């Protein structure tokens, strides 16, 4: 299986940390520095799960989440933000977030959330061998 988890964050350090931590857990990622770039790849690849920041240049993570969930409601999206507040958490879940992860996050917790998201995704939409 060559499906990846997408990590969308304009912070290179966050992408790097998640890449290393998830790779150590055997989870390959594809990293994007903007939601707009990720949207460009949607017709070509369907991810196992997505981790997205809320605040980025161009399309916000929340707008990406809303648009993505229309096309792929069974793929879990984990929303993370350094600007954590009740309203952004509520909005994330209203738009279909699987989980909300405030920054700074514990790397082991982030890996565990991604593993739960992948397991959930495979329960909801089992992978069909082509």
């Amino acid at each position: 299986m060559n499906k990846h988890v997408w990590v969308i964050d304009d912070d290179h350090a966050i992408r790097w940390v998640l890449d290393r931590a998830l790779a150590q857990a055997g989870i390959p990622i594809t990293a994007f520095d903007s939601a707009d770039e990720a949207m460009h790849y949607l017709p070509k690849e369907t991810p196992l799960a997505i981790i997205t920041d809320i605040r980025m240049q161009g399309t916000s993570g929340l707008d990406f989440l809303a648009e993505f969930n229309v096309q792929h409601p069974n793929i879990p999206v984990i929303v993370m933000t350094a600007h954590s507040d009740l309203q952004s958490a509520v909005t994330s879940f209203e738009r279909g977030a699987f989980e909300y992860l405030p920054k700074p996050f514990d790397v082991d917790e982030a890996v565990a959330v991604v593993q739960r998201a992948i397991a959930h995704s495979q329960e909801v939409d089992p992978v069909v061998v082509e």
Side-chain angles (χ1 to χ4, degrees):
M1 175 170 49
N2 63 357
K3 287 194 169 193
H4 290 201
V5 168
W6 286 7
V7 174
I8 307 168
D9 198 310
D10 56 357
D11 184 334
H12 174 75
I14 296 291
R15 294 191 314 267
W16 186 86
V17 165
L18 287 171
D19 179 45
R20 297 306 176 274
L22 292 170
Q24 209 168 28
I27 302 168
I29 76 157
T30 301
F32 302 98
D33 63 8
S34 73
D36 297 319
E37 183 186 8
M39 282 300 223
H40 177 73
Y41 281 87
L42 257 182
K44 301 172 188 135
E45 179 185 345
T46 305
L48 285 172
I50 295 176
I51 307 171
T52 184
D53 193 13
I54 289 179
R55 293 186 184 180
M56 299 176 282
Q57 291 287 348
T59 303
S60 77
L62 291 176
D63 289 342
F64 171 84
L65 169 64
E67 190 173 332
F68 180 81
N69 269 344
V70 169
Q71 299 173 37
H72 303 281
N74 294 331
I75 297 175
V77 178
I78 301 157
V79 172
M80 60 184 173
T81 184
H83 307 279
S84 184
D85 60 47
L86 182 59
Q87 187 55 52
S88 64
V90 168
T91 302
S92 296
F93 288 115
E94 284 176 349
R95 295 191 184 181
F98 175 77
E99 190 61 73
Y100 183 83
L101 198 60
K103 294 178 187 175
F105 50 80
D106 178 84
V107 174
D108 293 334
E109 180 187 348
V111 170
V113 168
V114 170
Q115 289 169 328
R116 280 198 323 269
I118 292 170
H120 173 78
S121 152
Q122 291 172 340
E123 287 170 15
V124 172
D125 189 15
V127 177
V128 177
V129 177
E130 295 177 0

